[in-house]
Amino acid sequence: MRSATAGVSMRTALLLVTVALAVPGCARHHCVPPELAKQQLTELGCGTDLHAPVGATRLREMEAEFRQKTAAAAPAARPYQFLVLSGGGMYGAFGIGVLDGWTDTGARPEFDAVTGISTGALMATFAFLGPRYDAQLYEAMVGIHRNELIGLRPIPFLGDALFHNRPIRHRLERYITPQVIAEVAAAHAAGRRLYVGTTNLDTRRLVIWDMGEIASRGTPESVELYRTILLASASVPVAFPPVRIPVEVDGRHYEELHVDGGACDEVVFRPFMVADLNRANGIPGCVAPAGSVLYIVSNGKLYAEAACVRPRILSLLNASFRSVIYGKSRDELYRIYLNCLETGVMFRATAVPQDLYLGGSGGGLDLDDETQTRLFQAGLELGRRPGVGVDWLDLPPGAELHEQEMPRSGTRFMTTPR
């Protein structure tokens, strides 16, 4: 009886979902046009001093205090250079442009540590190995099309994902060769570090993998594990199936399900990464040498574009999901900024310019050639002036006056440019 009831309930739920998706939704609401929504809304009929935004002055004062304390503990050694690469699907063309532009300056450093999540994980190996791999990175990740990354499943809704990931696996086998992995091992032996993040679905937590240590084992199994981790970090949940990674705990064999690291963090930097470099250089503690800098390249915009949303389930779900992702990404940048204060590392971050037009694109897994080219060119320009200018933040997003949203007490506004 219970089985029959459960079967009826499942069929009823599926019917309701089908009807909800099939029946025409409510009429479009009369939304504020996106070109107005982008402006600062100043409330009418309220005193100008009702709410006061807090500028970045106090934050900079606190930063100066931290700098004084970490400077006293900083080892007398050459400064470290960190590179943090975010996710973003085909928006990775932006980050590749940043690296290429940086190479053009002739001043691109040999990064002491590189971290990558999702698309950033696919970029990280080549970014870690240096400018001689710029052309190969461009070939592997710019100008590709959706059908080169995904494969349709016959009945996707009955499995664990909409698409299979064999095309990505084949590309990894083509570009992440044993020779490339051997070069990562050599850099690791020289004291440099490469980290990639995945999400363990069973624990719902981020897993950070030491890719240099894995590469250093020099076995066919380590080559396979290296590629598997990259595949997992780029496996967007629902779009691609989770990657199964066998593990052993207390002598027993189990299996973990890993997906895109972006399900936990879009960018990753932790204090232990400074401590790892210090230990490799015979230095105690987790404070970096004076002058150490962390560069974050975010393969996406810091704020989602305003757009009128249709009152339909999928449209509302997509808008809500994007709000969560963008807000979470900004929060992660703030956490990394705090980690930089703790370790004495200077914070620099750049992202896809907010005013760069990306309309007509099909999302992170389906960008046309023109959009990828525009992203690459935008990155190229920013890479040619690394770490400087208004497009390279030295404070986390949200610290400046024009980024702050004040409470509302009414519904009548006028627009002023941010």
Side-chain angles (χ1 to χ4, degrees):
M1 177 65 71
R2 274 189 238 163
S3 297
T5 303
V8 171
S9 299
M10 179 61 72
R11 288 194 295 273
T12 302
L14 289 174
L15 178 61
L16 290 174
V17 171
T18 302
V19 170
L21 295 178
V23 172
C26 305
R28 285 181 181 271
H29 69 297
H30 187 51
C31 71
V32 177
E35 59 271 18
L36 293 182
K38 290 179 181 179
Q39 305 299 314
Q40 183 80 39
L41 297 183
T42 301
E43 195 167 336
L44 297 174
C46 294
T48 57
D49 60 348
L50 183 63
H51 299 291
V54 178
T57 302
R58 180 56 182 155
L59 186 59
R60 292 195 182 279
E61 291 174 352
M62 293 174 60
E63 179 178 331
E65 293 179 15
F66 267 94
R67 297 293 179 215
Q68 288 180 353
K69 292 181 179 180
T70 54
R78 67 167 183 82
Y80 300 144
Q81 306 290 322
F82 297 87
L83 177 66
V84 173
L85 300 168
S86 83
M90 291 183 183
Y91 287 87
F94 170 76
I96 295 169
V98 171
L99 292 172
D100 275 22
W102 207 334
T103 297
D104 290 346
T105 67
R108 176 175 157 186
E110 180 180 71
F111 295 106
D112 296 280
V114 175
T115 77
I117 295 283
S118 191
T119 288
L122 300 180
M123 298 167 55
T125 295
F126 297 127
F128 181 68
L129 294 179
R132 69 183 185 280
Y133 277 100
D134 283 356
Q136 193 164 345
L137 178 57
Y138 184 94
E139 175 187 309
M141 297 188 63
V142 179
I144 57 177
H145 300 104
R146 174 174 166 157
N147 58 5
E148 296 177 75
L149 296 176
I150 64 177
L152 286 173
R153 289 182 158 183
I155 313 178
F157 293 102
L158 298 182
D160 54 4
L162 298 176
F163 312 105
H164 64 73
N165 55 21
R166 288 193 293 276
I168 299 179
R169 183 179 287 277
H170 292 156
R171 293 183 75 82
L172 288 172
E173 291 170 353
R174 176 182 174 185
Y175 290 103
I176 306 298
T177 64
Q179 175 60 34
V180 167
I181 295 175
E183 291 189 38
V184 172
H188 182 82
R192 298 169 59 216
R193 296 293 180 261
L194 173 62
Y195 304 99
V196 163
T198 64
T199 297
N200 182 341
L201 285 180
D202 297 311
T203 62
R204 282 76 163 173
R205 291 188 178 186
L206 183 74
V207 175
I208 300 174
W209 300 84
D210 187 336
M211 303 301 284
E213 182 64 30
I214 293 170
S216 298
R217 294 171 191 164
T219 64
E221 292 77 16
S222 65
V223 171
E224 177 60 24
L225 178 59
Y226 193 105
R227 292 170 176 162
T228 296
I229 291 166
L230 295 183
L231 179 65
S233 189
S235 292
V236 180
V238 180
F240 297 114
V243 175
R244 298 167 183 262
I245 299 180
V247 297
E248 181 182 318
V249 180
D250 294 334
R252 297 188 176 216
H253 295 277
Y254 302 96
E255 192 175 64
E256 294 177 343
L257 297 181
H258 287 255
V259 297
D260 192 328
C264 282
D265 292 322
E266 280 291 327
V267 284
V268 60
F269 170 70
R270 300 287 188 271
F272 79 78
M273 297 174 183
V274 175
D276 278 1
L277 290 177
N278 281 350
R279 188 166 55 253
N281 288 281
I283 300 171
C286 64
V287 174
S292 297
V293 186
L294 177 137
Y295 300 93
I296 300 172
V297 177
S298 179
N299 293 303
K301 297 185 178 183
L302 294 178
Y303 296 87
E305 292 290 351
C308 291
V309 179
R310 293 188 65 188
R312 295 283 299 273
I313 289 176
L314 292 182
S315 295
L316 295 171
L317 182 63
N318 179 58
S320 300
F321 178 74
R322 288 170 63 83
S323 297
V324 170
I325 291 297
Y326 278 85
K328 177 172 165 292
S329 297
R330 293 192 297 273
D331 290 345
E332 288 160 6
L333 290 175
Y334 207 105
R335 180 173 65 180
I336 287 180
Y337 172 75
L338 296 178
N339 288 339
C340 285
L341 294 183
E342 179 183 358
T343 56
V345 178
M346 291 183 285
F347 175 93
R348 297 289 184 272
T350 192
V352 174
Q354 283 295 136
D355 59 357
L356 181 64
Y357 176 70
L358 297 175
S361 64
L365 292 176
D366 191 15
L367 295 184
D368 57 41
D369 289 346
E370 181 185 354
T371 301
Q372 291 184 58
T373 299
R374 278 191 276 112
L375 283 165
F376 178 81
Q377 290 296 329
L380 199 67
E381 292 304 313
L382 288 176
R384 287 172 177 163
R385 48 182 190 276
V388 298
V390 295
D391 293 314
W392 283 88
L393 305 178
D394 62 349
L395 291 178
E400 301 296 345
L401 293 177
H402 69 275
E403 297 176 295
Q404 299 175 30
E405 301 291 345
M406 293 293 101
R408 291 182 176 184
S409 59
T411 58
R412 297 179 62 242
F413 307 95
M414 65 177 291
T415 59
T416 53
R418 287 187 181 274

